[in-house]
Amino acid sequence: MTRAPRPASRVVASPGLIGAIAVLGWLAFSIGLRALNLPEEGRYVGIAWEMLRSGDWIVPTEDGLPFFHKPPLFYWLTAASMRVFGVDAAAARLAPLLGAAVGAIVLYRVARRWSGEDAARWTALVLVTLPFFFGGAQFANLDMLVAGFMAMAVLLAGHAVLLARNGRPHRAALVGAWAGAALGLLAKGLIGIVLPGGVIVVWLLATRQARSLLLLLSPVGPAMFLLIAAPWFLAVQAQHPGFFHYFFVYQHFERFAASGFNNVQPWWFFFAAVPALTLPWSLWLLRSPFVARAGETAETTLWRQLMWIWLILVLVFFSIPQSKPVGYSMAVLFPIAALVGDAVVARLRGGGAWTRRAAWASAAIAVAICLVAIGWSSATYDRDNTAIARTLARLRAPGDRVVFVKEYFFDIPLHARLAEPVPVIDDWHDPAIAARDNWRRELAEAAPFAPTLAATLLVDAEHGFALRCGAPLWVLAKSGDDAPVAALPGATRVEVSNRVALWRVAAAECAATGAKRPTP
């Protein structure tokens, strides 16, 4: 008796895997279409490049000087990405893409458990088509990375509480929540644990679940947190004894209360900006109530209330300081998506072809806004220094010095593949440096952590051009700031691009000209 032949085996991808691939493809398709934005993306990617260049994965540096404004997770991920995929804009943007993907996956899986499959699918669709989320997933700074891990912490902590209410195993969710908080701390600082913790505590108190606080403080969670987060902080403090005070006291508490930082806005700024940046989906928030709907479980109501408390608390928190960079509010995109997904499904269950058309029309409009925004930014951005950096890399001979005048060009060391920090000529005794939150203040504040090196890099104008003694000098300056360069003997302007001028200055004999080298 002969056996019937077996059918050929087939590998069938699950709908969840297909959906995840589609989401990543949508978020990633345009990450390399535009140059790095200056100064924001150039700063953080430049620090990652210095980490890759130097091989020092402990101390982040900006122009060779310790940069302790933010922890290292973004730099680690970006440096690793550039090592694997090459030094380009797409590789430089994988860290925010990772943060967006982590938050989206965790949100979908937890929403599916407490709101149902339909609501979870709409939540995922809403999230990835929110114009603010789409842009943030492709912008190389810390905001989306920390938002994704903050979302992981809030969602898994809430998930653990709701599982425990039902007598279900919850330890894995609890450990995941603390891991998310630890990664959030390494992504941007205390905000990575303070905000998720505040959201969960307020939710538990507001919904009369205060006893669950003890569950969340089970020793296994904090142990996981310390295992992930503590080693880097201890290693840096061992090398730089003033680090703890600078990072925790000055960069967090004093900056939060101080003025003189970027993007000063009125208290209501985020309450206007976030709805505008999440149109048209933000209009659906009016359809998601805080109270229970008829026929739903207590856990579904508690889930929705967690989303509302998360949204409101984060907006209020970031409305307190005068400085309000819009990226700070990215953490609220996850609860917005969950609330909108909940509202869409509730309206669809009520019937009516108009509601279905309105939901899909909202999705189409949101996608169109995303595509128009990325196309417009790619076509109109004019601060890219890639071309002039490549000219410098091509013409500069080994041993030629490079200096910047009155500006730190974040992307030029990256694109020119400069192997050493660049001296910056400016008035470093100007008291106004401390009053503005920019590159001058960053470098000046870094100087006490490496004073000898800082003395060779932060060069006062009266001594700066003595750097040309004995070797040709390549000078980069904004077009309006290059008059002192033009006045030097042997100065030749090589190229001007996007209002940045590249000059070559012939070597000078110091003994003959009386020039003095700058000394530390």
Side-chain angles (χ1 to χ4, degrees), residues 74-315:
F74 176 92
Y75 315 128
W76 288 344
L77 294 171
T78 305
S81 174
M82 291 192 294
R83 170 171 285 179
V84 173
F85 300 108
V87 182
D88 58 28
R93 293 187 174 113
L94 285 186
L97 182 65
L98 173 65
V102 167
I105 291 168
V106 176
L107 178 62
Y108 170 77
R109 293 184 66 85
V110 178
R112 185 174 63 177
R113 176 64 178 83
W114 304 112
S115 286
E117 182 66 38
D118 289 344
R121 288 179 177 177
W122 275 101
T123 293
L125 176 63
V126 170
L127 181 65
V128 300
T129 58
L130 288 171
F132 195 12
F133 184 85
F134 179 77
Q138 304 176 38
F139 194 83
N141 73 355
L142 284 61
D143 293 330
M144 182 56 76
L145 187 64
V146 69
F149 287 120
M150 286 167 58
M152 176 180 170
V154 172
L155 291 165
L156 291 182
H159 187 46
V161 170
L162 295 177
L163 286 172
R165 280 176 57 92
N166 285 266
R168 304 292 299 276
H170 60 274
R171 176 165 290 188
L174 176 63
V175 172
W178 280 97
L183 292 169
L185 175 64
L186 286 173
K188 202 171 182 180
L190 288 177
I191 203 71
I193 185 172
V194 169
L195 268 185
V199 169
I200 292 298
V201 168
V202 171
W203 173 60
L204 292 177
L205 295 178
T207 55
R208 300 180 181 180
Q209 302 180 90
R211 291 182 179 179
S212 294
L213 285 171
L214 296 177
L215 176 150
L216 295 175
L217 294 175
S218 172
V220 66
M224 175 61 71
F225 178 88
L226 292 174
L227 181 65
I228 295 172
W232 179 78
F233 288 95
L234 296 176
V236 176
Q237 176 65 16
Q239 291 188 40
H240 298 277
F243 165 70
F244 277 172
H245 181 272
Y246 180 80
F247 182 82
F248 290 110
V249 177
Y250 175 69
Q251 284 296 327
H252 285 78
F253 299 107
E254 293 183 12
R255 279 178 64 98
F256 187 82
S259 59
F261 295 99
N262 291 331
N263 202 38
V264 174
Q265 298 289 347
W267 67 267
W268 47 263
F269 172 73
F270 285 122
F271 292 92
V274 170
L277 291 169
T278 54
L279 285 170
W281 289 120
S282 54
L283 300 175
W284 289 81
L285 288 174
L286 301 174
R287 298 290 185 175
S288 185
F290 187 83
V291 298
R293 290 194 181 98
E296 71 181 7
T297 66
E299 286 75 21
T300 298
T301 303
L302 288 169
W303 161 259
R304 187 168 59 252
Q305 290 171 338
L306 172 59
M307 298 300 103
W308 271 116
I309 288 171
W310 183 359
L311 169 59
I312 294 169
L313 187 65
V314 172
L315 290 180

Side-chain angles (χ1 to χ4, degrees), residues 369-503:
I369 293 173
C370 293
L371 295 177
V372 169
I374 201 70
W376 178 83
S377 62
S378 300
T380 61
Y381 188 70
D382 64 352
R383 295 186 63 188
D384 175 29
N385 294 316
T386 303
I388 205 166
R390 288 175 177 169
T391 298
L392 173 64
R394 186 178 71 253
L395 299 179
R396 175 174 170 256
D400 290 358
R401 300 291 300 273
V402 179
V403 299
F404 295 158
V405 175
K406 294 187 177 181
E407 181 70 34
Y408 187 73
F409 300 97
F410 290 102
D411 58 341
I412 286 178
L414 174 76
H415 295 309
R417 304 295 192 269
L418 299 183
E420 300 293 338
V422 180
V424 183
I425 300 172
D426 206 345
D427 180 6
W428 290 104
H429 298 288
D430 184 359
I433 288 176
R436 296 193 62 190
D437 193 23
N438 59 16
W439 64 270
R440 289 182 178 87
R441 181 171 176 170
E442 292 167 2
L443 295 181
E445 288 181 353
F449 290 104
T452 302
L453 178 61
T456 67
L457 295 175
L458 309 185
V459 184
D460 285 321
E462 59 182 303
H463 301 302
F465 294 112
L467 292 167
R468 67 195 179 102
C469 297
L473 192 67
W474 292 89
V475 183
L476 291 118
K478 289 183 177 179
S479 297
D481 293 331
D482 60 351
V485 187
L488 293 172
T492 303
R493 190 165 66 178
V494 176
E495 184 175 331
V496 177
S497 176
N498 295 331
R499 301 178 296 280
V500 176
L502 172 64
W503 291 78

